[in-house]
């Protein structure tokens, strides 16, 4: 919510909650979405009449809403509490109001775009950690103090799914760019509430933030709290992942902090699951494996030794010795647990494990060979997977 009018003494509960929370309460958004109100706003430039939303014994007034447009782009919408459907005269007045609001929003956005570019340039210079970093930090008002590096990026999995009241991002990327601007603006505002000297700007797909911590010792804990609060507040309206970097005590430390944030965001983006916040100390092993994959791909490396033997055997015999080895290693050598994980009898699994040792020419009692096999499985995981259509339960 950007603005609201006066006469709050006449406001009904939905309006009060929206003003205090600066957003439409989720239970109302859900009902509006189910009624198709948001879709109607996107499709038409005419006002949409909305019957009162029942909420227990609380009184609620009807609403009239109209989209604020700039050409084909929807910038927002105007909502008015009314006693009933509008007359033709008031309907036309609301439509004209939407045009005026659109002009105002475009002017504000144009000015904000200039400020974004300037701030992003300064923040980018600061995070490079080179000779220009000191001057950039001074212009940002952040010189000569420890700084915590934070990073945010859109959660592309949730972004593709969309959320109530908003259309999914289009293939042209305009909606994604708009959502990134919203994420950056919201994060900058959130950081300023945590510390007035903080700074945030989008550089490419990542929104970086610099936060002066209360104490160096507890800086990362403070950073985790700040991003947790932010993600909880924006919820699914701005689906994002976040990384908390180390405290930077000088310009080279800022460059290291940016690299750390980028590594953590990559892990969160590619690993899947529901985790949305991370630090390198928790995700370093996964980051290293991903970087090993990059090195192997750049060199054109292919699996060799044990893994190559097993992959070749599986392809020729439509078996899954690679899966057997993976299950055994991930179960720490517990045959019972490994057999359960691939849904076979323990004796069947033991037989397949003997075939792994024979075909792969690996000594499963040798810790070094076990580590080498596990590392290859992690680095070449996609190439060691069974081929499409292969019977994963086939014997050896």
């Amino acid at each position: 919510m950007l603005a609201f009018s006066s006469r709050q003494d006449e406001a009904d509960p939905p309006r009060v909650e929206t003003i205090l929370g600066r957003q439409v309460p989720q239970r109302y958004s859900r009902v509006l979405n189910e009624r198709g109100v948001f879709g109607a706003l996107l499709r038409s430039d005419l006002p949409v009449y909305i019957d009162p939303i029942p909420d227990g014994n609380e009184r609620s007034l009807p609403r009239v809403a109209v989209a604020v447009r700039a050409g084909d782009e929807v910038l927002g919408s105007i909502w008015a509490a009314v006693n009933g459907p509008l007359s033709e005269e008031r309907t036309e007045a609301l439509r004209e109001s939407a045009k005026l609001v659109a002009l105002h929003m475009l002017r504000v956005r144009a000015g904000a775009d200039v400020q974004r570019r300037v701030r992003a340039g300064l923040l980018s210079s600061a995070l490079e950690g080179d000779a220009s970093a000191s001057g950039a930090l001074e212009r940002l008002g952040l010189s000569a103090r420890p700084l915590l590096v934070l990073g945010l990026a859109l959660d592309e999995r949730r972004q593709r799914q969309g959320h109530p009241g908003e259309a999914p991002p289009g293939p042209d990327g305009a909606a994604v760019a708009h959502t990134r601007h919203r994420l950056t603006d919201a994060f900058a505002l959130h950081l300023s509430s945590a510390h007035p000297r903080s700074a945030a700007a989008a550089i490419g797909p990542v929104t970086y933030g610099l936060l002066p911590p209360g104490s160096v010792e507890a800086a990362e804990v403070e950073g985790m709290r700040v991003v947790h609060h932010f993600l909880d507040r924006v919820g699914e309206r701005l689906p994002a992942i976040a990384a908390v970097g180390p405290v930077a005590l000088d310009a080279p430390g800022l460059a290291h902090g940016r690299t750390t944030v980028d590594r953590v965001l990559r892990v969160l983006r590619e690993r899947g699951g529901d985790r949305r916040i991370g630090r390198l100390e928790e995700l370093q092993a996964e980051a290293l494996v991903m970087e090993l994959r990059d090195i192997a791909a750049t060199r054109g490396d292919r699996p060799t030794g044990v893994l190559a033997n097993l992959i070749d055997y599986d392809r020729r015999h439509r078996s899954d010795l690679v899966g057997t080895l993976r299950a055994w290693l991930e179960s720490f050598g517990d045959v019972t647990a490994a057999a359960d994980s691939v849904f076979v009898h323990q004796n069947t699994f033991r037989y397949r494990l003997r075939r792994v040792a024979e075909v792969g020419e690996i000594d499963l009692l040798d810790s070094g060979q076990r580590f080498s096999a596990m590392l290859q499985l992690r680095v070449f995981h996609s190439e060691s997977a069974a081929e499409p259509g292969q019977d994963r339960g086939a014997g050896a």
Side-chain angles (χ1 to χ4, degrees), residues 13 19 46 88 92 97 105 128 141 201 225 264 284 309 314 333 338 370 373 389:
I19 292 172
L46 295 174
E88 290 186 10
E92 186 60 29
S97 297
M105 292 182 71
E128 288 295 331
R225 186 182 68 252
V264 172
Q284 186 178 38
N309 293 342
D314 284 344
R370 292 198 304 271

Side-chain angles (χ1 to χ4, degrees), residues 167-197:
D172 60 357
V176 173
H178 177 60
T179 304
R180 283 185 182 137
H181 285 323
R182 291 174 57 208
L183 181 68
T184 300
D185 291 344
F187 190 54
L189 182 62
H190 184 73
L191 281 188
S192 67
S193 68
H195 195 291
R197 290 287 189 177

Side-chain angles (χ1 to χ4, degrees), residues 344-363:
V344 300
H345 192 274
Q346 295 176 29
N347 290 339
T348 302
F349 191 88
R350 288 191 178 94
Y351 167 73
R352 293 182 183 179
L353 197 59
R354 287 197 297 271
R355 294 295 292 148
V356 166
E358 294 167 2
V359 173
E361 300 178 4
I362 178 175
D363 181 0

Side-chain angles (χ1 to χ4, degrees), residues 30 32 39 76-77 95 143 176 201-202 208 307 371 386:
R30 185 165 53 250
L32 293 170
S77 56
R95 291 183 65 187
S143 60
V176 173
Y208 296 97
L307 189 55
F371 174 77

Side-chain angles (χ1 to χ4, degrees), residues 232-243:
D232 287 344
R233 188 164 180 78
V234 299
E236 292 301 317
R237 294 178 299 113
L238 292 171
I241 52 177

Side-chain angles (χ1 to χ4, degrees), residues 325 328-329 332-333 335 353 356-357 361-371 373:
L325 177 60
W328 184 75
L329 290 171
F332 302 100
V335 171
L353 197 59
V356 166
E361 300 178 4
I362 178 175
D363 181 0
L364 295 175
L365 299 179
D366 187 311
S367 61
Q369 293 187 43
R370 292 198 304 271
F371 174 77

